[in-house]
């Protein structure tokens, strides 16, 4: 399946819309197709907003005339609340309660004024407090450049680096996950 827009950044996509070479709905449909094709492996988009995005992209008046008019955009499920959409910040507590944002944050309002079309919300570490995205609420997001790299490989590589500094990865990971050190060491063997 050919996707001529997959490698274009937001500025180039906005330029296509301005020149009439693509419609906002074309761009949104292409982004949705990419998400549907790739996300089963990646686990990056936890709240698809596809129908809302299609409706917005089809309604020229709702897009305004911002510099990124009609460009599809994924919102991190962290500090940016979007009205009427789930907001869980990686927390199982909020997921289980089905918490939904009542209003846009200022950041969401600015993104909308710029013309972006929200096609979904992406996974985030719990409370956005970790360098890796592995919340218990939604599970790990995988590396799009190498989905074959598993947790054990990552742990082994990180352990080698930390050992050079006299720091125990096993101890750090045990605190982070609540696993026993023996379980973690078994994963690394």
């Amino acid at each position: 399946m050919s996707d001529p827009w997959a490698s274009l950044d937001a500025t180039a996509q906005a330029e296509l819309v301005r020149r009439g070479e693509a419609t906002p709905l074309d761009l949104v449909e292409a982004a949705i197709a990419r998400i549907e094709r790739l996300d089963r492996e990646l686990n990056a988009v936890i709240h698809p907003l596809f129908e809302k995005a299609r409706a917005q992209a089809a309604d020229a008046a709702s897009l305004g005339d911002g510099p990124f008019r009609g460009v599809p955009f994924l919102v991190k499920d962290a500090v940016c609340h979007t009205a009427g959409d789930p907001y869980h910040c990686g927390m199982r507590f909020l997921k289980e309660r089905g918490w939904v944002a009542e209003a846009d944050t200022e950041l969401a309002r600015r993104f909308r004024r710029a013309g972006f079309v929200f096609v979904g919300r992406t996974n985030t570490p719990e409370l956005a407090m970790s360098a890796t995205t592995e919340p218990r609420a939604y599970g790990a997001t995988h590396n799009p450049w190498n989905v074959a790299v598993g947790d054990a490989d990552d742990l082994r590589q990180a352990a080698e680096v930390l050992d050079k500094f006299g720091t125990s990865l096993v101890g750090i990971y045990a605190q982070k996950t609540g696993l026993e050190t023996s379980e973690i060491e078994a994963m690394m063997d």
Side-chain angles (χ1 to χ4, degrees), residues 129-172:
M129 297 291 289
S130 175
T132 60
T133 301
E134 303 171 284
R136 290 184 179 167
Y138 292 98
T141 295
H142 303 285
N143 181 338
W145 289 275
N146 188 357
V147 293
V149 174
D151 290 339
D153 292 331
D154 292 343
L155 284 172
R156 205 173 291 108
Q157 291 171 1
E160 291 170 9
V161 171
L162 288 173
D163 284 344
K164 291 178 182 176
F165 296 98
T167 305
S168 167
L169 174 67
V170 172
I172 292 170

Side-chain angles (χ1 to χ4, degrees), residues 38-46 122-123 133 135 138-142:
L38 301 171
D39 199 54
R40 279 184 213 96
E41 248 187 311
L42 301 178
N43 191 38
V45 180
I46 56 171
T122 61
N123 207 355
T133 301
Y138 292 98
T141 295
H142 303 285

Side-chain angles (χ1 to χ4, degrees), residues 8-170:
L8 299 180
D9 65 15
T11 305
Q13 289 186 35
E15 184 61 28
L16 289 175
V17 171
R18 270 193 296 285
R19 291 193 314 238
E21 296 175 23
T23 68
L25 188 55
D26 292 336
L27 297 178
V28 165
E29 289 292 354
I32 290 169
R34 279 191 302 278
I35 292 165
E36 289 176 334
R37 187 174 67 249
L38 301 171
D39 199 54
R40 279 184 213 96
E41 248 187 311
L42 301 178
N43 191 38
V45 180
I46 56 171
H47 303 295
L49 304 173
F50 299 161
E51 293 313 310
K52 284 173 105 172
R54 287 180 173 118
Q56 184 183 2
D59 179 13
S62 73
L63 294 174
D65 60 357
F68 295 101
R69 183 179 183 279
V71 174
F73 189 75
L74 289 166
V75 179
K76 192 77 169 166
D77 193 36
V79 298
C80 187
H81 300 219
T82 54
D85 299 329
Y87 175 79
H88 303 147
C89 201
M91 292 186 285
R92 192 174 5 186
F93 172 81
L94 292 178
K95 178 184 179 185
E96 289 170 353
R97 280 148 189 81
W99 198 84
V100 172
E102 294 178 11
D104 280 353
T105 58
E106 179 60 25
L107 182 58
R109 286 190 292 274
R110 289 177 184 222
F111 285 145
R112 289 187 199 278
R113 281 194 305 266
F116 288 111
V117 178
F118 301 156
V119 295
R121 297 186 62 79
T122 61
N123 207 355
T124 190
E126 189 168 356
L127 296 173
M129 297 291 289
S130 175
T132 60
T133 301
E134 303 171 284
R136 290 184 179 167
Y138 292 98
T141 295
H142 303 285
N143 181 338
W145 289 275
N146 188 357
V147 293
V149 174
D151 290 339
D153 292 331
D154 292 343
L155 284 172
R156 205 173 291 108
Q157 291 171 1
E160 291 170 9
V161 171
L162 288 173
D163 284 344
K164 291 178 182 176
F165 296 98
T167 305
S168 167
L169 174 67
V170 172

